[in-house]
Amino acid sequence: MTGTGSRSSIVVLIMLLCGLLSSIVNAAPPTLQVNHDFKKLEQFQMGYFVDPSGNMPISQVQNQHFEASSNSITLGSNAKTTWAKIVLQNTSDSPITLYLHNPYAYYNHAIELNEVVNGQVTRKRLLDMDNKDTYEWMYQGTAVFDITLPRQQVTTLYLKNVSYIYQVFSVELYSQDLSKRVLINQYNDITLIVGMVLALIIYNFFLFLSSRLKEHLFYACYLVSGGFWIALSYGLFASFFDVFGSITLKWNIALGTMPICLLFFMINIFETRKKYPIEHKALLTTIAILATNSIYGLFDIISALEYASTLAFIVMSISLCVTISMFVRRHPLALLFLIGHGFFVTFSVLAVLFYQGRIGFNYINSHGVGIGVLLESLVLSLIIANRIRTLEKLEATQAELQLLASTDPLTQLLNRRSFDLEASALLNQDKQIRFPLSLAILDIDFFKNINDTYGHSLGDQVIVRVADVLRAQCRLQDIVARYGGEEFVILMPNTTREKAHVLAERIRTTLAHTSVQVDQNQLVNFTLSVGISEVDAKTADLQAAINQADKALYKAKNSGRNQSQLHIS
């Protein structure tokens, strides 16, 4: 009997403890003491009750069981109509006026506040986001209700929040002075984030205009949609433009354009169309799903937004898989994109869980998407900068290769092929404007003897010296080239053969007084022979002019060298 009695006592004790714990967990919200020194209540305990019918009268709500919670809660999509209960006791001998703030009011469809004293509703106010006549309790996206507490009385506030999709709200209490300060400074952080995104938008639009690269356009569009969604979802539009209610809800369709632009950005920077067909199809399929949901949202925005969490999971999964695939394939931009997109995915997951009511209410969770967009935007800007540097290096390499292909490596003058191209272009112009055009061929006298006697190294020095004098004596519009081993050619626009003869003589005379040093005790002098012709303006035949100049050159050589000869028809 003793053993049986002991077991019974233990069972009774356990039941009492369970009952005690249950009463603690489900206890009614505590009474908040308020006196004449009241300044603010930003963190306190209240109660909440979910009304599944959505239209329960206040008399019935007062008899419901309210779950204990903090003053900031998120309950997901199954609590569209939720009541909050706050019990306030004025302990002073005079009435006290305080201000209740709901900073997420712009996010809701309607808010109703009932003040109850001794079981009777003393004051009732309804703020309907689609009814401008009720906007007197709305200030820059925040619902602000003045509440006067009778002296030495307990006042119970019943706050009804009706949401469109996700139930998210926060309640704060302030004195009049602090209420004004809080309202003035409440969107500084969002303004800063949107300002940074706007700067990136402007920068990338200018980059697109200058480069015409699609990734700049898609990145800028991603920033536009992301910045728009941040301003819309976090109350900046509500603050500046008094945009609330169903209008704001419809504008959430812009949320779908943000991942679409990001996926197009991935297609361009990873060049999936050309190199990675499987990843390309995965990205295009995701874009098609997002576009379909956005179009559906034009007809039923609430249902479309209810699918947003599932779509977000699909987008993040596929984009991460593609990025990891690029990383495994050692794509040079994959690591940076993985870091940036990792930020976005991490913070977006926190935001999704927050809106679904699965994790607690804090700044990072409630602003997860905005933080993720900003961090990803900053990292993607590094990818853009990396792409610009890569393209600049590629263009520099191409320019260098083009220069190598078009110039003589020893003298850095044009080679024969480039001379023919530029001369042909000039002659085509000559057919239109008919200006005189002369050509001179210059040949180093006895160059073979110089090579045989002093070696090819000194011969190269002679060739370079001739090239330097040609650059110094010729005009900018003249086309100068090394035409062969020791042979040079000059095409002189707007120049008669007589003027060309003057230039040729100046060059020849200069080189006749120029020497190349063999060693400390010996210098080598050399001379030029020059043949000059004028291009026939009627035929503009370059080859004929070259042949004529060549004949004049042979005449100069046969006449004793170190001279200039004109071709005379």
Side-chain angles (χ1 to χ4, degrees):
M1 292 294 293
T2 305
T4 303
S6 298
R7 285 194 296 271
S8 299
S9 300
I10 293 172
V11 171
V12 171
L13 180 61
I14 292 174
M15 292 177 65
L16 289 173
L17 288 173
C18 290
L20 179 62
L21 289 173
S22 177
S23 65
I24 291 173
V25 171
N26 297 317
T31 300
L32 306 176
Q33 306 291 324
V34 179
N35 57 38
H36 64 279
D37 293 326
F38 172 78
K39 296 296 182 184
K40 64 180 179 179
L41 279 173
E42 293 180 324
Q43 293 182 352
F44 55 87
Q45 289 293 304
M46 67 177 189
Y48 76 88
F49 160 71
V50 176
D51 176 10
S53 68
N55 55 12
M56 189 178 293
I58 183 63
S59 59
Q60 190 176 347
V61 169
Q62 289 178 268
N63 298 321
Q64 300 302 314
H65 171 71
F66 281 76
E67 298 286 341
S69 72
S70 67
N71 58 306
S72 298
I73 58 174
T74 172
L75 300 174
S77 59
N78 295 321
K80 289 185 172 61
T81 301
T82 300
W83 289 84
K85 180 179 180 180
I86 305 168
V87 183
L88 301 172
Q89 182 178 15
N90 181 1
T91 59
S92 68
D93 293 327
S94 58
I96 297 175
T97 299
L98 49 81
Y99 293 83
L100 183 146
H101 288 198
N102 184 339
Y104 290 87
Y106 64 88
Y107 199 79
N108 290 295
H109 175 53
I111 297 174
E112 178 184 316
L113 177 63
N114 295 268
E115 299 177 34
V116 177
V117 179
N118 296 325
Q120 299 296 317
V121 177
T122 59
R123 191 179 184 189
K124 176 181 177 180
R125 282 164 284 184
L126 175 64
L127 172 58
D128 185 345
M129 302 307 165
D130 289 330
N131 185 355
K132 292 185 178 181
D133 294 337
T134 66
Y135 283 7
E136 62 179 295
W137 297 296
M138 199 71 166
Y139 181 82
Q140 295 185 348
T142 298
V144 181
F145 297 101
D146 62 292
I147 301 166
T148 300
L149 304 178
R151 62 187 183 89
Q152 298 295 332
Q153 288 282 346
V154 174
T155 301
T156 304
L157 305 179
Y158 290 93
L159 186 69
K160 179 182 179 182
N161 286 266
V162 182
S163 68
Y164 285 105
I165 302 174
Y166 300 110
Q167 185 61 264
V168 176
F169 68 91
S170 179
V171 180
E172 298 157 356
L173 297 168
Y174 296 100
S175 65
Q176 184 175 9
D177 290 340
L178 279 179
S179 175
K180 293 178 180 178
R181 295 179 190 177
V182 170
L183 291 172
I184 290 173
N185 299 317
Q186 64 181 336
Y187 294 115
N188 288 346
D189 55 341
I190 305 304
T191 303
L192 178 61
I193 291 175
V194 173
M196 295 175 67
V197 173
L198 182 60
L200 289 172
I201 290 170
I202 296 172
Y203 174 68
N204 277 278
F205 267 127
F206 278 118
L207 284 179
F208 171 70
L209 292 175
S210 62
S211 67
R212 297 296 177 180
L213 294 175
K214 291 182 179 178
E215 56 258 37
H216 295 307
L217 178 61
F218 289 131
Y219 177 51
C221 291
Y222 164 73
L223 292 172
V224 169
S225 57
F228 179 87
W229 190 84
I230 290 171
L232 180 69
S233 296
Y234 299 140
L236 201 61
F237 282 168
S239 174
F240 288 156
F241 306 112
D242 289 337
V243 177
F244 321 117
S246 56
I247 296 177
T248 304
L249 185 69
K250 292 176 181 177
W251 285 3
N252 273 279
I253 199 68
L255 178 62
T257 63
M258 183 169 58
I260 289 175
C261 294
L262 180 65
L263 295 177
F264 274 121
F265 178 77
M266 292 178 65
I267 287 174
N268 276 268
I269 64 167
F270 292 138
E271 299 175 299
T272 57
R273 185 189 302 275
K274 297 178 181 178
K275 301 179 180 179
Y276 311 105
I278 296 176
E279 288 83 352
H280 185 69
K281 289 178 181 178
L283 293 175
L284 285 181
T285 301
T286 310
I287 290 171
I289 294 172
L290 289 168
T292 301
N293 188 64
S294 296
I295 295 171
Y296 177 63
L298 296 175
F299 304 96
D300 188 353
I301 184 63
I302 293 180
S303 296
L305 290 177
E306 286 177 345
Y307 297 140
S309 298
T310 303
L311 288 176
F313 176 77
I314 294 173
V315 171
M316 289 185 285
S317 299
I318 292 179
S319 57
L320 272 180
C321 288
V322 170
T323 307
I324 292 171
S325 174
M326 296 297 102
F327 180 74
V328 171
R329 296 168 186 262
R330 299 183 182 278
H331 193 285
L333 299 177
L335 180 58
L336 268 179
F337 191 88
L338 186 60
I339 293 172
H341 200 49
F343 281 133
F344 175 77
V345 169
T346 300
F347 287 99
S348 294
V349 167
L350 292 176
V352 169
L353 294 176
F354 166 78
Y355 285 116
Q356 291 180 345
R358 298 183 182 182
I359 58 176
F361 201 119
N362 60 47
Y363 187 86
I364 292 178
N365 295 342
S366 63
H367 292 72
V369 175
I371 296 172
V373 169
L374 178 61
L375 292 176
E376 183 174 46
S377 298
L378 294 174
V379 177
L380 293 188
S381 68
L382 297 179
I383 293 178
I384 292 291
N386 184 285
R387 286 274 288 176
I388 292 173
R389 286 196 299 270
T390 301
L391 291 173
E392 287 177 345
K393 289 180 181 178
L394 181 62
E395 289 176 358
T397 301
Q398 290 175 340
E400 184 177 352
L401 291 174
Q402 186 175 4
L403 181 64
L404 290 173
S406 63
T407 58
D408 172 60
L410 179 62
T411 64
Q412 303 304 309
L413 296 176
L414 294 177
N415 57 26
R416 183 168 186 158
R417 176 177 174 276
S418 297
F419 173 82
D420 290 341
L421 291 174
E422 291 200 18
S424 298
L426 186 64
L427 286 171
N428 289 333
Q429 183 183 11
D430 176 54
K431 291 178 181 179
Q432 299 177 11
I433 60 177
R434 302 292 180 182
F435 52 72
L437 197 67
S438 295
L439 183 140
I441 297 179
L442 307 89
D443 189 86
I444 302 174
D445 295 329
F446 303 111
F447 183 73
K448 185 177 184 302
N449 292 340
I450 294 175
N451 270 340
D452 292 343
T453 305
Y454 302 104
H456 290 280
S457 177
L458 189 128
D460 288 345
Q461 293 182 45
V462 170
I463 290 174
V464 170
R465 185 64 56 85
V466 173
D468 291 341
V469 170
L470 291 180
R471 266 190 292 266
Q473 295 293 338
C474 292
R475 303 164 300 177
L476 291 177
Q477 64 265 35
D478 295 336
I479 301 175
V480 184
R482 183 184 178 189
Y483 210 58
E486 68 272 22
E487 198 170 64
F488 298 83
V489 63
I490 308 172
L491 186 64
M492 293 160 276
N494 199 24
T495 304
T496 62
R497 61 182 180 179
E498 288 77 18
K499 290 183 179 179
H501 184 263
V502 173
L503 174 62
E505 279 297 293
R506 187 165 65 244
I507 293 170
R508 185 190 64 78
T509 302
T510 300
L511 286 170
H513 294 87
T514 300
S515 59
V516 176
Q517 190 168 1
V518 179
D519 52 38
Q520 294 182 350
N521 301 317
Q522 187 176 9
L523 298 174
V524 172
N525 295 93
F526 57 91
T527 59
L528 289 180
S529 295
V530 185
I532 304 165
S533 67
E534 188 170 334
V535 179
D536 189 340
K538 295 181 180 179
T539 63
D541 190 337
L542 176 64
Q543 190 56 50
I546 291 174
N547 293 337
Q548 292 169 357
D550 211 34
K551 291 178 182 179
L553 174 64
Y554 278 114
K555 182 179 179 182
K557 286 183 175 291
N558 293 330
S559 301
R561 302 178 189 271
N562 191 24
Q563 58 183 273
S564 300
Q565 290 288 342
L566 292 170
H567 176 268
I568 300 176
S569 301

